[in-house]
Amino acid sequence: KFKVPLVVIPNRLENLPIREHWSRRKYPEKICANPLCQYGGLFYPRDKRQIYCCRQCGIDHRNDRRAQANRTIYIEEKIMRETDRLLAQLYENHFDGKHCLLHVNQLQLHKVDLSYFMQSVPNKDTGMKTLWLYKFGTERHHENKDWYYILKRKTKNV
């Protein structure tokens, strides 16, 4: 292996190796594909396929795109985790030793979103559907539909 001397370019975040086999062809000035380019956005490419002015601009642009995709992909998961956390707080505050029963207005006041759930299981005792999230679930009262039970999932200790 041989060592390639580095050329330091001012105002750039990268050091480019000097390479003998680069083409001497001159390409027209291009606009960097990163809309948030820190270097002004205009550059002279070394290769016809080059779309970013430097390596760091390409890395930043791909990271920004991935972060944007993750914000939209995992939004339902985030809502379900937040709802599960809110149900845990309500369960802890309103559990009377036997049941945790809340009116729908209380759930709306605490901004509990019941439209997202992971699993719907019918309750064998009441015949009502239990909508489970991660550790907590909700079930409508069998007589009065404005009241909800908050249930805690039973876990087996291994």
Side-chain angles (χ1 to χ4, degrees):
K1 299 213 174 183
F2 59 93
K3 295 205 175 204
V4 178
L6 296 178
V7 174
V8 177
I9 300 173
N11 298 328
R12 297 292 181 175
L13 297 176
E14 65 184 359
N15 293 326
L16 300 174
I18 295 175
R19 294 170 48 157
E20 297 289 329
H21 62 275
W22 275 353
S23 169
R24 293 175 190 221
R25 186 176 295 175
K26 301 290 182 196
Y27 295 101
E29 192 174 38
K30 278 180 137 181
I31 297 173
C32 184
N34 183 1
L36 302 174
C37 179
Q38 300 172 357
Y39 306 109
L42 294 175
F43 71 100
Y44 289 98
R46 293 180 306 275
D47 186 289
K48 168 170 109 172
R49 299 165 295 179
Q50 183 180 353
I51 60 172
Y52 300 107
C53 63
C54 62
R55 259 188 246 148
Q56 190 59 47
C57 247
I59 291 168
D60 291 345
H61 189 234
R62 287 185 291 274
N63 284 346
D64 292 343
R65 284 193 328 212
R66 185 173 44 253
Q68 178 63 32
N70 286 347
R71 278 193 291 273
T72 56
I73 289 172
Y74 297 115
I75 192 145
E76 290 180 2
E77 171 106 14
K78 186 177 179 182
I79 291 170
M80 287 192 293
R81 289 198 185 277
E82 179 64 20
T83 303
D84 198 56
R85 189 187 63 76
L86 289 170
L87 288 177
Q89 286 178 349
L90 291 171
Y91 185 85
E92 185 179 316
N93 294 337
H94 297 283
F95 186 68
D96 63 2
K98 189 175 181 186
H99 299 291
C100 181
L101 189 63
L102 291 173
H103 195 268
V104 69
N105 291 339
Q106 285 179 303
L107 294 174
Q108 290 172 349
L109 177 69
H110 292 284
K111 298 181 178 153
V112 175
D113 188 0
L114 297 177
S115 60
Y116 293 99
F117 58 90
M118 292 180 62
Q119 186 179 24
S120 175
V121 179
N123 189 336
K124 295 176 186 173
D125 299 332
T126 62
M128 302 296 288
K129 282 187 181 179
T130 303
L131 304 177
W132 288 104
L133 290 164
Y134 295 96
K135 294 181 182 176
F136 291 89
T138 58
E139 180 183 326
R140 278 198 160 157
H141 192 274
H142 58 281
E143 293 174 0
N144 191 344
K145 303 294 184 197
D146 289 340
W147 290 87
Y148 282 87
Y149 288 108
I150 297 178
L151 306 169
K152 186 173 182 179
R153 199 181 285 263
K154 294 177 183 172
T155 58
K156 296 177 182 177
N157 295 332
V158 179

